[in-house]
Amino acid sequence: SENGELELEAYKVLLDERVKLVAVGHVSNALGTVNPVKEITELAHKAGAKVLIDGAQGVPHFDVDVQALGCDFYAFSGHKMYAPTGIGVLYGKESLLEQMPPYHGGGEMIKTVSFEGTTFNELPFKFEAGTPNIGGAVALAAAVDYLQALDRTALAAHEAALMQYAHDKAGQFDGLKRIGCAKTIAGAFSFLLEGVHPADVGMLLDQQGIAVRTGDHCAQPIMKQFGIPGTVRASFALYNTFEDIDALFAGLAKAKTFLL
Ligand SMILES: *Cc1c(COP(=O)(O)O)cnc(C)c1O
């Protein structure tokens, strides 16, 4: 929708008996929209489909209970939650993982091998062929421990307060257009300065020491839907402060004097 929310009525129409898997983002990395994944999952299950949730932008911002959501699979990346690149998590319901064949061959994923037949190892080894990324796994565990030791409800409230503060400032900033204003938003604050290419805004902010990302955020269809080349995206995490947002808007005011 114009607000950057999924249209559940349209989704219901699409859900017929041909649908095997619904794959949906928990939180949009382009717009920040928090999708109603529990409701989406319930509707999919009623239609006989399985559900895979991309939680790369969910897990860093709030607690996730995969059993309460009821999803069949939930995936997220280490490097979005203070762990290194090249490691992440795929949760799957045990009964489904048991039914699934391995997708890779290699060490540790087999139990017995002979010319007559092969049996596979138990979970999770069946899906972990070859020598794993041991260092990455140790570091990911450290990141999980770090996040779990914090008061995540308080962190979510802090990030929500930052988002509200940025939203209020944006409302008073001439020529700033938010892209995506869903009712629930987390992490990503996406916008454009009227008449300016997002890459130019990003460069001028960068020169002032303010790091944003610009472009289509790996989401070209949504940019096409809005008829824009991309957005400027400020991302908030647990370490951000209200002063950071003041700096962002001061930087934008300065950028505007260069550009307009
Ligand atoms: C970053 C991101 C991905 C890609 O994850 P990688 O681990 O970088 O491949 C997928 N989905 C969302 C929502 C993301 O933010």
Side-chain angles (χ1 to χ4, degrees):
S1 73
E2 196 49 36
N3 281 342
E5 290 174 330
L6 294 178
E7 292 174 348
L8 287 189
E9 290 310 314
Y11 168 61
K12 285 180 197 163
V13 173
L14 289 171
L15 269 181
D16 61 25
E17 70 290 344
R18 291 174 308 159
V19 178
K20 302 292 178 220
L21 181 75
V22 172
V24 62
H26 198 163
V27 179
S28 161
N29 59 303
L31 309 177
T33 308
V34 182
N35 289 317
V37 286
K38 192 173 158 82
E39 194 180 347
I40 288 170
T41 299
E42 284 166 3
L43 288 165
H45 283 166
K46 267 193 208 133
K50 303 281 184 274
V51 177
L52 163 70
I53 299 174
D54 171 355
Q57 296 298 334
V59 164
H61 298 294
F62 45 75
D63 260 338
V64 173
D65 181 339
V66 288
Q67 291 178 341
L69 291 178
C71 58
D72 301 287
F73 302 97
Y74 193 101
F76 57 92
S77 304
H79 70 107
K80 305 293 177 65
M81 47 167 284
Y82 320 119
T85 51
I87 185 103
V89 169
L90 173 65
Y91 157 84
K93 280 188 179 160
E94 192 172 359
S95 57
L96 292 171
L97 294 174
E98 291 289 4
Q99 290 170 44
M100 287 162 55
Y103 72 103
H104 258 169
E108 297 296 335
M109 49 75 72
I110 44 89
K111 202 169 254 163
T112 63
V113 179
S114 72
F115 289 109
E116 285 70 46
T118 295
T119 56
F120 299 121
N121 205 343
E122 59 200 43
L123 293 169
F125 306 103
K126 185 171 81 172
F127 295 113
E128 297 183 351
T131 307
N133 177 6
I134 299 164
V138 171
L140 175 60
V144 169
D145 289 344
Y146 169 73
L147 279 173
Q148 285 191 333
L150 298 169
D151 179 347
R152 301 213 68 200
T153 308
L155 287 182
H158 171 67
E159 288 187 31
L162 293 174
M163 190 61 77
Q164 183 62 46
Y165 186 63
H167 174 83
D168 292 346
K169 289 212 135 197
Q172 293 155 19
F173 195 95
D174 238 14
L176 188 151
K177 185 169 190 290
R178 289 283 305 280
I179 306 296
C181 305
K183 274 198 284 298
T184 44
I185 255 182
F189 184 77
S190 230
F191 62 92
L192 285 173
L193 282 192
E194 247 151 32
V196 188
H197 196 279
D200 294 332
V201 178
M203 195 189 65
L204 288 167
L205 288 175
D206 178 48
Q207 286 169 1
Q208 301 176 69
I210 298 156
V212 294
R213 184 166 168 186
T214 63
D216 58 43
H217 315 297
C218 312
Q220 290 181 10
I222 189 71
M223 300 305 150
K224 196 168 170 217
Q225 162 96 354
F226 283 120
I228 55 177
T231 73
V232 185
R233 185 191 69 187
S235 309
F236 306 144
L238 54 88
Y239 45 75
N240 283 112
T241 63
F242 292 93
E243 289 74 34
D244 290 340
I245 292 164
D246 289 337
L248 169 66
F249 280 89
L252 285 172
K254 199 158 172 197
K256 233 171 91 172
T257 63
F258 283 121
L259 291 166
L260 297 174

